[in-house]
Short mmCIF file of all heavy atoms in Angstrom, two decimals:
data_model
loop_
_atom_site.label_atom_id
_atom_site.label_comp_id
_atom_site.label_asym_id
_atom_site.label_seq_id
_atom_site.Cartn_x
_atom_site.Cartn_y
_atom_site.Cartn_z
N VAL A 1 88.94 99.29 106.24
CA VAL A 1 88.84 98.09 105.40
C VAL A 1 89.90 97.12 105.90
O VAL A 1 91.10 97.45 105.92
CB VAL A 1 89.07 98.42 103.92
CG1 VAL A 1 89.04 97.16 103.08
CG2 VAL A 1 88.02 99.42 103.44
N LEU A 2 89.48 95.96 106.30
CA LEU A 2 90.41 94.96 106.80
C LEU A 2 91.01 94.17 105.66
O LEU A 2 90.45 94.10 104.55
CB LEU A 2 89.67 94.03 107.78
CG LEU A 2 89.06 94.73 109.00
CD1 LEU A 2 88.24 93.75 109.82
CD2 LEU A 2 90.15 95.36 109.86
N PHE A 3 92.15 93.56 105.89
CA PHE A 3 92.84 92.79 104.86
C PHE A 3 91.90 91.72 104.31
O PHE A 3 91.24 91.02 105.05
CB PHE A 3 94.10 92.14 105.44
CG PHE A 3 94.95 91.49 104.39
CD1 PHE A 3 95.76 92.26 103.57
CD2 PHE A 3 94.91 90.13 104.20
CE1 PHE A 3 96.53 91.68 102.59
CE2 PHE A 3 95.70 89.53 103.23
CZ PHE A 3 96.50 90.31 102.43
N GLY A 4 91.84 91.62 102.99
CA GLY A 4 90.98 90.63 102.35
C GLY A 4 89.60 91.15 102.01
O GLY A 4 88.85 90.49 101.30
N GLU A 5 89.24 92.33 102.51
CA GLU A 5 87.94 92.92 102.20
C GLU A 5 88.05 93.84 100.99
O GLU A 5 89.12 94.38 100.70
CB GLU A 5 87.41 93.73 103.39
CG GLU A 5 87.11 92.90 104.60
CD GLU A 5 86.59 93.75 105.75
OE1 GLU A 5 86.88 94.95 105.81
OE2 GLU A 5 85.88 93.18 106.58
N LEU A 6 86.95 94.01 100.30
CA LEU A 6 86.91 94.94 99.17
C LEU A 6 86.74 96.36 99.67
O LEU A 6 86.06 96.61 100.67
CB LEU A 6 85.76 94.59 98.24
CG LEU A 6 85.84 93.24 97.53
CD1 LEU A 6 84.57 93.01 96.72
CD2 LEU A 6 87.06 93.19 96.63
N LEU A 7 87.34 97.29 98.95
CA LEU A 7 87.11 98.70 99.24
C LEU A 7 85.70 99.07 98.81
O LEU A 7 85.21 98.55 97.80
CB LEU A 7 88.10 99.57 98.47
CG LEU A 7 89.56 99.47 98.87
CD1 LEU A 7 90.42 100.18 97.83
CD2 LEU A 7 89.78 100.08 100.23
N PRO A 8 85.04 99.98 99.53
CA PRO A 8 83.75 100.45 99.05
C PRO A 8 83.92 101.08 97.66
O PRO A 8 84.87 101.83 97.41
CB PRO A 8 83.34 101.50 100.08
CG PRO A 8 84.11 101.15 101.31
CD PRO A 8 85.40 100.56 100.82
N GLU A 9 83.03 100.77 96.74
CA GLU A 9 83.16 101.20 95.35
C GLU A 9 83.28 102.71 95.21
O GLU A 9 84.11 103.21 94.45
CB GLU A 9 81.98 100.68 94.53
CG GLU A 9 82.17 100.88 93.05
CD GLU A 9 81.09 100.19 92.22
OE1 GLU A 9 80.45 99.26 92.71
OE2 GLU A 9 80.91 100.63 91.08
N GLU A 10 82.47 103.45 95.94
CA GLU A 10 82.51 104.92 95.84
C GLU A 10 83.85 105.47 96.32
O GLU A 10 84.41 106.39 95.71
CB GLU A 10 81.36 105.54 96.65
CG GLU A 10 81.31 107.05 96.59
CD GLU A 10 81.14 107.61 95.16
OE1 GLU A 10 80.57 106.92 94.30
OE2 GLU A 10 81.59 108.74 94.93
N VAL A 11 84.40 104.90 97.37
CA VAL A 11 85.71 105.34 97.87
C VAL A 11 86.79 105.07 96.83
O VAL A 11 87.66 105.91 96.59
CB VAL A 11 86.04 104.61 99.20
CG1 VAL A 11 87.47 104.88 99.63
CG2 VAL A 11 85.05 105.02 100.29
N TRP A 12 86.73 103.92 96.19
CA TRP A 12 87.70 103.58 95.15
C TRP A 12 87.62 104.56 93.99
O TRP A 12 88.64 105.05 93.51
CB TRP A 12 87.48 102.14 94.67
CG TRP A 12 88.40 101.73 93.58
CD1 TRP A 12 88.09 101.49 92.28
CD2 TRP A 12 89.82 101.56 93.68
NE1 TRP A 12 89.22 101.15 91.57
CE2 TRP A 12 90.29 101.19 92.41
CE3 TRP A 12 90.73 101.68 94.72
CZ2 TRP A 12 91.63 100.94 92.15
CZ3 TRP A 12 92.06 101.43 94.46
CH2 TRP A 12 92.50 101.06 93.19
N HIS A 13 86.43 104.90 93.54
CA HIS A 13 86.26 105.85 92.43
C HIS A 13 86.76 107.24 92.82
O HIS A 13 87.36 107.93 92.00
CB HIS A 13 84.81 105.90 91.96
CG HIS A 13 84.39 104.66 91.24
ND1 HIS A 13 84.93 104.26 90.04
CD2 HIS A 13 83.49 103.71 91.57
CE1 HIS A 13 84.39 103.12 89.65
NE2 HIS A 13 83.50 102.76 90.57
N GLN A 14 86.52 107.65 94.05
CA GLN A 14 87.02 108.95 94.52
C GLN A 14 88.55 108.97 94.53
O GLN A 14 89.16 109.96 94.14
CB GLN A 14 86.48 109.25 95.92
CG GLN A 14 85.02 109.57 95.95
CD GLN A 14 84.47 109.70 97.36
OE1 GLN A 14 85.15 109.40 98.33
NE2 GLN A 14 83.23 110.13 97.47
N ALA A 15 89.16 107.88 94.97
CA ALA A 15 90.62 107.80 95.00
C ALA A 15 91.20 107.86 93.59
O ALA A 15 92.18 108.59 93.35
CB ALA A 15 91.07 106.52 95.70
N MET A 16 90.60 107.14 92.66
CA MET A 16 91.08 107.16 91.28
C MET A 16 90.94 108.55 90.67
O MET A 16 91.84 109.04 89.98
CB MET A 16 90.33 106.13 90.43
CG MET A 16 90.74 104.71 90.72
SD MET A 16 90.08 103.50 89.55
CE MET A 16 88.33 103.78 89.65
N SER A 17 89.83 109.21 90.92
CA SER A 17 89.61 110.55 90.39
C SER A 17 90.63 111.54 90.96
O SER A 17 91.23 112.33 90.23
CB SER A 17 88.19 111.01 90.72
OG SER A 17 87.99 112.33 90.30
N ALA A 18 90.84 111.48 92.26
CA ALA A 18 91.77 112.41 92.91
C ALA A 18 93.20 112.20 92.42
O ALA A 18 93.93 113.17 92.16
CB ALA A 18 91.70 112.23 94.43
N ILE A 19 93.60 110.96 92.28
CA ILE A 19 94.98 110.68 91.87
C ILE A 19 95.22 111.09 90.43
O ILE A 19 96.31 111.52 90.07
CB ILE A 19 95.35 109.21 92.15
CG1 ILE A 19 96.83 109.10 92.43
CG2 ILE A 19 94.95 108.29 91.02
CD1 ILE A 19 97.23 107.85 93.13
N ARG A 20 94.21 111.00 89.59
CA ARG A 20 94.35 111.42 88.19
C ARG A 20 94.44 112.94 88.06
O ARG A 20 95.00 113.45 87.09
CB ARG A 20 93.18 110.89 87.37
CG ARG A 20 93.28 109.41 87.11
CD ARG A 20 92.14 108.92 86.23
NE ARG A 20 92.23 107.50 86.01
CZ ARG A 20 91.23 106.64 86.21
NH1 ARG A 20 90.05 107.07 86.61
NH2 ARG A 20 91.41 105.36 86.01
N GLN A 21 93.87 113.67 89.00
CA GLN A 21 93.85 115.13 88.94
C GLN A 21 95.04 115.78 89.65
O GLN A 21 95.31 116.96 89.45
CB GLN A 21 92.56 115.65 89.57
CG GLN A 21 91.33 115.27 88.78
CD GLN A 21 90.07 115.75 89.47
OE1 GLN A 21 90.03 116.83 90.03
NE2 GLN A 21 89.03 114.92 89.43
N ALA A 22 95.75 115.01 90.46
CA ALA A 22 96.82 115.57 91.29
C ALA A 22 98.05 115.95 90.46
O ALA A 22 98.43 115.23 89.55
CB ALA A 22 97.22 114.57 92.37
N ASP A 23 98.65 117.07 90.81
CA ASP A 23 99.91 117.47 90.18
C ASP A 23 101.09 116.68 90.77
O ASP A 23 102.08 116.45 90.10
CB ASP A 23 100.18 118.96 90.40
CG ASP A 23 99.16 119.82 89.69
OD1 ASP A 23 98.71 119.44 88.58
OD2 ASP A 23 98.80 120.88 90.24
N LEU A 24 100.95 116.30 92.04
CA LEU A 24 101.99 115.56 92.74
C LEU A 24 101.33 114.52 93.64
O LEU A 24 100.41 114.84 94.39
CB LEU A 24 102.84 116.50 93.61
CG LEU A 24 103.87 115.85 94.52
CD1 LEU A 24 104.96 115.15 93.70
CD2 LEU A 24 104.47 116.89 95.46
N VAL A 25 101.81 113.28 93.55
CA VAL A 25 101.30 112.20 94.38
C VAL A 25 102.46 111.67 95.22
O VAL A 25 103.49 111.24 94.68
CB VAL A 25 100.70 111.05 93.54
CG1 VAL A 25 100.25 109.90 94.42
CG2 VAL A 25 99.54 111.58 92.70
N LEU A 26 102.30 111.71 96.55
CA LEU A 26 103.29 111.16 97.47
C LEU A 26 102.77 109.82 97.97
O LEU A 26 101.66 109.75 98.51
CB LEU A 26 103.50 112.09 98.66
CG LEU A 26 104.01 113.49 98.37
CD1 LEU A 26 104.05 114.30 99.66
CD2 LEU A 26 105.37 113.45 97.71
N ILE A 27 103.57 108.78 97.80
CA ILE A 27 103.24 107.46 98.33
C ILE A 27 104.24 107.23 99.45
O ILE A 27 105.46 107.20 99.22
CB ILE A 27 103.37 106.37 97.24
CG1 ILE A 27 102.55 106.71 96.01
CG2 ILE A 27 103.03 105.01 97.82
CD1 ILE A 27 101.05 106.73 96.22
N ILE A 28 103.73 107.06 100.67
CA ILE A 28 104.61 107.06 101.84
C ILE A 28 104.43 105.77 102.65
O ILE A 28 103.33 105.44 103.08
CB ILE A 28 104.33 108.28 102.72
CG1 ILE A 28 104.50 109.57 101.91
CG2 ILE A 28 105.22 108.29 103.95
CD1 ILE A 28 104.07 110.83 102.62
N GLY A 29 105.55 105.07 102.86
CA GLY A 29 105.59 103.95 103.79
C GLY A 29 104.75 102.75 103.40
O GLY A 29 103.85 102.37 104.15
N THR A 30 105.02 102.15 102.26
CA THR A 30 104.25 100.99 101.83
C THR A 30 105.12 100.05 100.99
O THR A 30 106.03 100.49 100.31
CB THR A 30 103.02 101.41 101.00
OG1 THR A 30 102.33 100.24 100.55
CG2 THR A 30 103.40 102.26 99.81
N SER A 31 104.79 98.78 101.05
CA SER A 31 105.49 97.80 100.21
C SER A 31 104.88 97.72 98.82
O SER A 31 105.44 97.12 97.93
CB SER A 31 105.43 96.42 100.86
OG SER A 31 104.07 95.97 100.92
N LEU A 32 103.71 98.33 98.64
CA LEU A 32 102.97 98.29 97.38
C LEU A 32 102.66 96.86 96.93
O LEU A 32 102.66 96.55 95.75
CB LEU A 32 103.72 99.05 96.28
CG LEU A 32 103.82 100.56 96.49
CD1 LEU A 32 104.82 101.18 95.53
CD2 LEU A 32 102.45 101.20 96.34
N GLN A 33 102.37 96.00 97.88
CA GLN A 33 102.08 94.60 97.59
C GLN A 33 100.59 94.30 97.51
O GLN A 33 100.20 93.27 97.01
CB GLN A 33 102.70 93.70 98.66
CG GLN A 33 104.21 93.73 98.68
CD GLN A 33 104.80 93.21 97.38
OE1 GLN A 33 104.42 92.13 96.92
NE2 GLN A 33 105.71 93.95 96.78
N VAL A 34 99.74 95.17 98.05
CA VAL A 34 98.32 94.87 98.16
C VAL A 34 97.54 95.45 96.97
O VAL A 34 97.55 96.65 96.73
CB VAL A 34 97.74 95.41 99.49
CG1 VAL A 34 96.25 95.13 99.58
CG2 VAL A 34 98.47 94.77 100.67
N TYR A 35 96.90 94.57 96.23
CA TYR A 35 96.04 94.95 95.10
C TYR A 35 94.65 95.25 95.65
O TYR A 35 94.21 94.59 96.57
CB TYR A 35 95.98 93.78 94.11
CG TYR A 35 95.09 94.05 92.93
CD1 TYR A 35 95.60 94.69 91.82
CD2 TYR A 35 93.76 93.67 92.93
CE1 TYR A 35 94.78 94.96 90.73
CE2 TYR A 35 92.94 93.93 91.85
CZ TYR A 35 93.45 94.57 90.76
OH TYR A 35 92.66 94.84 89.69
N PRO A 36 93.94 96.22 95.18
CA PRO A 36 94.19 97.06 94.01
C PRO A 36 94.87 98.39 94.33
O PRO A 36 95.18 99.15 93.43
CB PRO A 36 92.79 97.30 93.47
CG PRO A 36 91.94 97.39 94.69
CD PRO A 36 92.55 96.37 95.65
N VAL A 37 95.11 98.66 95.60
CA VAL A 37 95.68 99.96 95.96
C VAL A 37 97.05 100.16 95.32
O VAL A 37 97.42 101.29 94.97
CB VAL A 37 95.74 100.12 97.49
CG1 VAL A 37 96.44 101.39 97.91
CG2 VAL A 37 94.33 100.08 98.07
N ASN A 38 97.80 99.09 95.11
CA ASN A 38 99.12 99.25 94.49
C ASN A 38 99.04 99.70 93.04
O ASN A 38 100.05 100.02 92.43
CB ASN A 38 99.95 97.97 94.63
CG ASN A 38 99.36 96.79 93.89
OD1 ASN A 38 98.29 96.87 93.29
ND2 ASN A 38 100.06 95.67 93.95
N GLN A 39 97.84 99.74 92.47
CA GLN A 39 97.66 100.21 91.10
C GLN A 39 97.52 101.73 91.03
O GLN A 39 97.67 102.33 89.96
CB GLN A 39 96.42 99.56 90.47
CG GLN A 39 96.48 98.05 90.45
CD GLN A 39 97.69 97.55 89.70
OE1 GLN A 39 97.86 97.83 88.52
NE2 GLN A 39 98.55 96.81 90.37
N LEU A 40 97.21 102.37 92.14
CA LEU A 40 96.96 103.81 92.13
C LEU A 40 98.15 104.64 91.62
O LEU A 40 97.95 105.57 90.83
CB LEU A 40 96.53 104.29 93.52
CG LEU A 40 95.11 103.87 93.93
CD1 LEU A 40 94.84 104.25 95.38
CD2 LEU A 40 94.06 104.47 93.01
N PRO A 41 99.40 104.36 92.02
CA PRO A 41 100.50 105.20 91.50
C PRO A 41 100.60 105.20 89.98
O PRO A 41 100.92 106.23 89.37
CB PRO A 41 101.74 104.57 92.13
CG PRO A 41 101.25 103.90 93.36
CD PRO A 41 99.87 103.41 93.02
N SER A 42 100.29 104.10 89.33
CA SER A 42 100.39 104.05 87.87
C SER A 42 99.27 104.83 87.18
O SER A 42 99.34 105.10 85.99
CB SER A 42 100.40 102.60 87.38
OG SER A 42 99.17 101.98 87.68
N MET A 43 98.25 105.22 87.92
CA MET A 43 97.14 105.99 87.37
C MET A 43 97.40 107.50 87.41
O MET A 43 96.67 108.27 86.80
CB MET A 43 95.86 105.69 88.15
CG MET A 43 95.39 104.29 88.02
SD MET A 43 93.95 104.05 89.08
CE MET A 43 93.72 102.29 88.91
N ALA A 44 98.43 107.90 88.13
CA ALA A 44 98.73 109.32 88.28
C ALA A 44 99.18 109.93 86.98
O ALA A 44 99.94 109.34 86.22
CB ALA A 44 99.80 109.51 89.36
N LYS A 45 98.71 111.14 86.71
CA LYS A 45 99.14 111.88 85.54
C LYS A 45 100.22 112.90 85.92
O LYS A 45 101.00 113.34 85.09
CB LYS A 45 97.95 112.57 84.89
CG LYS A 45 96.94 111.57 84.33
CD LYS A 45 95.96 112.23 83.41
CE LYS A 45 94.94 111.34 82.79
NZ LYS A 45 94.88 109.97 83.07
N GLY A 46 100.27 113.27 87.19
CA GLY A 46 101.28 114.20 87.69
C GLY A 46 102.54 113.47 88.11
O GLY A 46 102.71 112.27 87.85
#
């Protein structure tokens, strides 16, 4: 996915589901400036 493009919807739903189920989420090497991916850490339950 290039900058400015939307993520495929199914991929986004898979990422949200996985992050909600994870016991531990590692976020590595990012400024967390790009929406909507920067929202994923706040969705984590672990």
Side-chain angles (χ1 to χ4, degrees):
V1 177
L2 300 174
F3 188 77
E5 294 180 335
L6 295 176
L7 292 169
E9 190 172 338
E10 181 60 27
V11 172
W12 178 249
H13 289 295
Q14 289 173 352
M16 287 190 303
S17 176
I19 210 161
R20 286 183 181 129
Q21 294 178 38
D23 294 325
L24 173 65
V25 176
L26 299 175
I27 306 294
I28 303 172
T30 177
S31 65
L32 293 168
Q33 295 297 311
V34 178
Y35 179 87
V37 175
N38 64 358
Q39 302 302 300
L40 288 173
S42 65
M43 296 176 186
K45 295 194 179 2

